[in-house]
Amino acid sequence: MHAVDLNNAENDDAEPSFSDHEYDYIDSISDEELVGDVLRKKPQESVYELCCVIVCGIPVVGEDRLPKLKAVLGRLFARIHAQYKDNYPLESDGKTKGYCFLEYPTSEIAATAMAVLDGYILDKNHVFSTNTFADLHKFFDPDPQWKPPVPRPYTDFGDLWWWLQNDKCCDQFAVHYEREASKGCGGANPFVAVYEFSKGKEPQLASPNSERQNWTASVFQWSPLGTFLASIHHMGVALWAGRNFDRFARFQHENVAMLDFSPLEKFVVTYAMPDNRWKEDTDSLRIFDVQTGEMRKGFSLMQYQRDNNMLPHWPYFQWSFDDRYAACPKPGNNGISIYESEHFTLLNKKHIVIDNIRTFQWSPTRSLIAYYCEEKVANNAPAEFGLMEIPSKVKIRAQRIFSVSDAEMFWNKNGDRLAVHTERYQKKNVKSSGGVEDVKYSKLTSHIEIFDAREKEVSVLSLALTEQYVSFGWEPKEGDKFCVLVSTQHKVTPLIYALDSSKHTPQLISKFEPSERFTTVAWAPNGGWLTVYSANASGAIMFIDSNGTQPTQMALVEYPGFSKGYWDPTGRYFAAVYTIGGGKGGDTGYRIFTFQGKELFRKNLDRLIQFKWRPRLPVKLSDEKIKLIRRNFKTSFAKFEEEDKRERGRASQEVIAKRRKIMDEFMKIRARFIAAYKEEAQMRIELRGGMDKSEAEVEDLVDETITVLLTTEKVKLEEPADKGE
């Protein structure tokens, strides 16, 4: 038997110690990293401060008029949210101090209140301004390191549009690629270079400073009108302009990841992903003024930070054609928020509420928004496609369609027609597993709806496709033609339709033979010509001429594995680009073709990352000028043909001169070595015991002439006249 010490029985029943200090254990993982989502729900003073709004600029009234003031302002505050608390501080004499405090249930509602009330005009003497309680910390504790900005000396960048004044109208493009580092250095050297391209010549650097190493830390981007080259760096964004690509401006935004311009280049939008997605960054998205460099507005995208910092789309802001408005999804994704760019305040101080909205797009030429609302079967609500005028916010047309599984919208270049592609189903199966719905559609059919917004009464044309939809593209010039790709099994058919005002449906004017697995439609910027291509293993590119009544295929070329195709701004050249993002494992580079499909130039580059043509300013010619050009077309054609012939001859002469120069340099080197050889003749004889082997017999050499074809020219021979005539 075992003896039991009753005196120590009480100690045996005591719980063991789990203290970390007893064993000197140090936890290397912080609570924020481990349970950040749980800690975020913990009530915090900073969160409460974001729910409280300070409204300045209210009328100063006495105690007798205070109830009336509360009633007037209360109706305004209640329109934002019915649940709120207000407080009006009073002076010693009982008058209001000109500001009040508001408390809303959530920080999102408070942010909406700030957007609505900031700049609100109560009357001609009272305009509101707003801040949150959190802003008080900035007022009480200003940055001790702050210093007044130092005026920068003026820098003359010269003519910002110098590249448009080329006599030959040469286009420019930029490439971003990596060169292999020299041995022992490791890694690769990233370069960005801007080239000038002219038919019949190799691309030349646009200027002595147009190729630089480490010009950007990630990617580059041209501004919409081609004025600036934007580069991204750890501390922000830089713009480069002028003939020497001097730095025009820089915008501070640490760890910036995305960049966008407004259409007229007045504003730059940047986005940086916060280091901690559980901590709010009120300026994660910033809008800067290009000319002054001032940050005009900052936005918090906390609702997207929680989902791995992934934005729903980029660009996040969509701009109107004249830079007057910037639109983004409304908080809660149940509408659109439109800001006026003058002060970046909400249009009419209100969001546009549209339930179930999926996406929206501005017209390229009008203050008109097209939107798409997905269907909600549970509420018996069909999908809705509509057009809304801005700033009136009036819906000028809404089309409701049942059984829509997916949709896309396409504005034509003129901004007066909108095409909507819809996929409609006959059967829908929904399976729920673990709270997640798995939706499958069957018996899908493709349809195209055309909204004609040229008239006050917007009409809609419908086109049912007999085969599965692949891609769509409007002709840019007139906007009355479009190309749609449809697939059957393993082949794709390009179809070209034309719009006829006397017909109720688009008219098919050309159907090409099913061939490659084409994926993309790309029209030339001025219309008339287009390409359909497949950016995959086959790499087929079909060039089509649609200028006549019957579109015809001009060429079918192959560039296996290329990633994407780009038309130059004038529509003369088409570049097929193979970047490292393609992931096909081939040789990266690019090939440039004419609009008819003839290859002009090809270049392989180590690890090509980007290729982008430099955009051009839009040229607006009067109708009289266009008629004059068409009337003198034959004369101009002959003139340009003669110039091209001289240019080809000049190019041939340049090749000959270059070869002669190389030959002359070789002959100089040869003569120098022959002279040295003769000077050493006596030394060689002495070393060889008096024998001179320099005159040894050599085989007879035969001269061989090689003819190299430099240019070709077709000449039509006149048939000899009959002797009997």
Side-chain angles (χ1 to χ4, degrees):
M1 295 180 65
H2 296 280
V4 178
D5 188 356
L6 298 178
N7 295 327
N8 294 329
E10 183 178 354
N11 295 332
D12 292 341
D13 294 337
E15 294 184 359
S17 173
F18 293 97
S19 173
D20 293 339
H21 300 288
E22 183 176 346
Y23 302 99
D24 296 330
Y25 175 76
I26 299 176
D27 191 356
S28 60
I29 303 177
S30 65
D31 292 341
E32 187 173 348
E33 293 176 322
L34 191 62
V35 288
D37 54 340
V38 177
L39 290 177
R40 177 160 178 78
K41 299 177 182 179
K42 178 182 177 181
Q44 298 178 4
E45 182 179 352
S46 59
V47 175
Y48 175 75
E49 290 176 345
L50 293 174
C51 297
C52 299
V53 180
I54 307 172
V55 183
C56 301
I58 68 172
V60 177
V61 299
E63 289 182 311
D64 56 334
R65 298 179 59 190
L66 181 58
K68 183 177 181 180
L69 177 64
K70 287 185 176 182
V72 172
L73 297 183
R75 288 193 293 270
L76 174 61
F77 301 153
R79 287 208 301 263
I80 300 170
H81 196 274
Q83 298 179 13
Y84 73 93
K85 297 178 182 179
D86 57 357
N87 180 270
Y88 294 79
L90 302 178
E91 298 282 3
S92 58
D93 58 358
K95 291 185 178 181
T96 58
K97 293 186 176 183
Y99 59 87
C100 67
F101 303 117
L102 297 177
E103 179 187 345
Y104 283 99
T106 65
S107 60
E108 288 79 6
I109 299 175
T112 302
M114 286 187 59
V116 172
L117 298 175
D118 191 49
Y120 183 86
I121 302 175
L122 182 65
D123 54 44
K124 64 179 182 179
N125 297 321
H126 299 90
V127 179
F128 294 168
S129 62
T130 59
N131 292 97
T132 63
F133 272 30
D135 294 334
L136 295 178
H137 297 294
K138 295 186 292 185
F139 303 147
F140 290 143
D141 301 315
D143 185 3
Q145 303 297 328
W146 183 87
K147 295 180 180 180
V150 179
R152 291 187 303 169
Y154 172 74
T155 302
D156 184 7
F157 294 95
D159 190 349
L160 296 182
W161 295 281
W162 61 275
W163 51 278
L164 294 173
Q165 302 172 29
N166 187 286
D167 294 337
K168 301 298 181 182
C169 298
C170 296
D171 280 305
Q172 293 186 2
F173 64 85
V175 291
H176 181 199
Y177 65 100
E178 293 180 353
R179 294 179 186 171
E180 293 298 332
S182 58
K183 293 183 179 180
C185 296
N189 298 320
F191 282 81
V192 174
V194 181
Y195 289 95
E196 192 173 76
F197 180 73
S198 179
K199 182 180 177 182
K201 297 182 180 179
E202 288 192 10
Q204 304 293 324
L205 287 175
S207 69
N209 297 325
S210 64
E211 183 177 34
R212 302 178 191 177
Q213 185 177 358
N214 298 319
W215 201 342
T216 181
S218 56
V219 295
F220 74 87
Q221 183 172 329
W222 290 110
S223 59
L225 302 180
T227 310
F228 306 107
L229 178 71
S231 58
I232 295 179
H233 308 273
H234 173 68
M235 296 302 296
V237 173
L239 301 186
W240 311 84
R243 186 179 296 273
N244 295 319
F245 291 95
D246 298 315
R247 190 174 66 193
F248 180 86
R250 57 181 176 181
F251 312 100
Q252 185 174 355
H253 196 174
E254 291 188 23
N255 301 318
V256 61
M258 297 182 182
L259 164 72
D260 186 43
F261 283 90
S262 63
L264 299 183
E265 303 179 346
K266 293 181 181 179
F267 304 100
V268 169
V269 184
T270 61
Y271 173 70
M273 295 180 289
D275 295 332
N276 183 356
R277 64 190 180 101
W278 304 110
K279 183 178 180 181
E280 185 167 23
D281 181 358
T282 56
D283 295 332
S284 60
L285 187 142
R286 304 178 184 181
I287 300 179
F288 295 92
D289 188 298
V290 170
Q291 295 298 325
T292 65
E294 175 190 4
M295 189 182 82
R296 299 292 305 278
K297 188 74 172 179
F299 293 87
S300 168
L301 302 182
M302 189 66 197
Q303 56 180 325
Y304 304 117
Q305 290 175 211
R306 300 170 187 171
D307 187 17
N308 297 323
N309 280 339
M310 296 299 294
L311 295 180
H313 54 77
W314 186 262
Y316 182 74
F317 274 98
Q318 296 194 37
W319 296 85
S320 61
F321 74 101
D322 54 1
D323 283 6
R324 186 178 177 184
Y325 303 107
C328 67
K330 175 182 174 293
N333 294 324
N334 63 336
I336 306 173
S337 300
I338 300 181
Y339 294 86
E340 296 181 275
S341 61
E342 184 176 359
H343 301 292
F344 282 98
T345 55
L346 273 175
L347 178 63
N348 299 332
K349 308 301 178 183
K350 293 181 181 179
H351 300 281
I352 302 176
V353 178
I354 306 176
D355 292 331
N356 306 327
I357 188 168
R358 180 82 171 271
T359 185
F360 62 90
Q361 290 183 15
W362 285 98
S363 165
T365 58
R366 302 164 59 184
S367 294
L368 194 65
I369 280 185
Y371 63 89
Y372 158 43
C373 300
E374 60 184 354
E375 70 174 17
K376 288 294 182 182
V377 178
N379 301 332
N380 198 28
E384 179 177 313
F385 305 90
L387 300 177
M388 178 183 293
E389 285 185 334
I390 302 298
S392 65
K393 302 181 183 178
V394 174
K395 292 183 181 180
I396 61 175
R397 180 62 193 255
Q399 183 86 349
R400 296 174 178 85
I401 304 174
F402 283 95
S403 304
V404 174
S405 62
D406 196 11
E408 294 178 286
M409 299 188 298
F410 307 90
W411 280 104
N412 69 346
K413 187 177 180 180
N414 295 336
D416 51 20
R417 286 192 176 99
L418 174 74
V420 177
H421 153 244
T422 59
E423 290 291 320
R424 306 182 193 177
Y425 62 89
Q426 295 184 13
K427 190 175 181 180
K428 178 180 179 181
N429 297 321
V430 181
K431 294 182 179 180
S432 298
S433 176
V436 179
E437 291 187 349
D438 182 19
V439 182
K440 292 184 178 180
Y441 302 96
S442 59
K443 297 183 179 180
L444 292 171
T445 57
S446 303
H447 299 258
I448 302 290
E449 315 292 328
I450 307 292
F451 290 72
D452 190 344
R454 293 176 299 175
E455 304 294 337
K456 186 175 181 180
E457 296 294 331
V458 179
S459 60
V460 180
L461 302 179
S462 297
L463 173 66
L465 301 177
T466 58
E467 298 170 319
Q468 184 181 359
Y469 166 89
V470 176
S471 184
F472 179 94
W474 280 107
E475 181 186 26
K477 182 173 59 176
E478 300 295 340
D480 57 359
K481 289 181 185 177
F482 62 86
C483 177
V484 59
L485 302 182
V486 294
S487 67
T488 303
Q489 295 179 350
H490 300 292
K491 293 186 178 181
V492 174
T493 304
L495 305 175
I496 297 181
Y497 289 86
L499 300 179
D500 189 342
S501 57
S502 62
K503 306 292 184 180
H504 296 292
T505 58
Q507 301 299 302
L508 179 64
I509 60 175
S510 182
K511 179 179 180 180
F512 295 89
E513 290 296 324
S515 55
E516 302 289 341
R517 294 287 296 177
F518 297 119
T519 58
T520 308
V521 177
W523 286 86
N526 294 319
W529 302 83
L530 74 149
T531 59
V532 293
Y533 62 85
S534 54
N536 51 36
S538 65
I541 309 173
M542 179 187 291
F543 290 81
I544 299 174
D545 177 9
S546 70
N547 289 289
T549 56
Q550 183 67 31
T552 57
Q553 175 182 326
M554 300 300 296
L556 181 64
V557 300
E558 291 186 357
Y559 185 6
F562 83 99
S563 311
K564 198 169 183 180
Y566 304 92
W567 282 97
D568 82 302
T570 62
R572 294 176 294 177
Y573 312 116
F574 180 82
V577 183
Y578 194 148
T579 62
I580 58 176
K584 307 297 189 304
D587 294 330
T588 58
Y590 60 91
R591 299 180 186 179
I592 298 178
F593 302 86
T594 66
F595 59 91
Q596 295 174 318
K598 179 182 178 182
E599 184 175 327
L600 296 176
F601 181 77
R602 66 168 63 185
K603 178 74 172 180
N604 291 335
L605 287 173
D606 294 337
R607 296 181 59 80
L608 178 62
I609 301 171
Q610 284 179 280
F611 176 104
K612 288 185 180 294
W613 291 102
R614 188 171 191 172
R616 285 176 171 266
L617 289 167
V619 178
K620 297 181 180 180
L621 299 178
S622 62
D623 294 339
E624 293 76 12
K625 185 68 174 179
I626 294 175
K627 290 179 181 178
L628 179 63
I629 293 174
R630 289 177 176 173
R631 187 164 55 247
N632 299 331
F633 178 76
K634 291 185 178 180
T635 305
S636 301
F637 178 82
K639 175 184 175 182
F640 293 142
E641 189 68 22
E642 185 65 26
E643 289 183 2
D644 289 344
K645 187 181 294 184
R646 288 198 300 268
E647 191 67 27
R648 288 193 296 269
R650 188 180 299 112
S652 301
Q653 294 298 325
E654 290 176 357
V655 172
I656 294 173
K658 183 178 179 180
R659 291 178 177 175
R660 284 177 177 172
K661 182 179 179 181
I662 295 173
M663 188 64 181
D664 292 342
E665 292 177 354
F666 168 75
M667 294 304 295
K668 290 179 181 179
I669 296 173
R670 183 173 181 272
R672 187 168 65 251
F673 277 93
I674 290 176
Y677 182 79
K678 291 181 178 180
E679 291 177 359
E680 298 170 353
Q682 186 61 35
M683 186 184 301
R684 287 196 303 274
I685 294 174
E686 294 176 357
L687 292 174
R688 293 170 181 170
M691 295 182 61
D692 185 6
K693 296 185 178 181
S694 60
E695 298 180 359
E697 295 183 1
V698 295
E699 297 181 359
D700 294 336
L701 300 178
V702 178
D703 292 336
E704 182 178 355
T705 303
I706 300 176
T707 303
V708 179
L709 183 64
L710 297 178
T711 60
T712 60
E713 183 177 357
K714 293 182 179 180
V715 179
K716 185 177 180 181
L717 299 177
E718 299 291 340
E719 295 184 0
D722 294 339
K723 295 182 179 180
E725 294 183 358

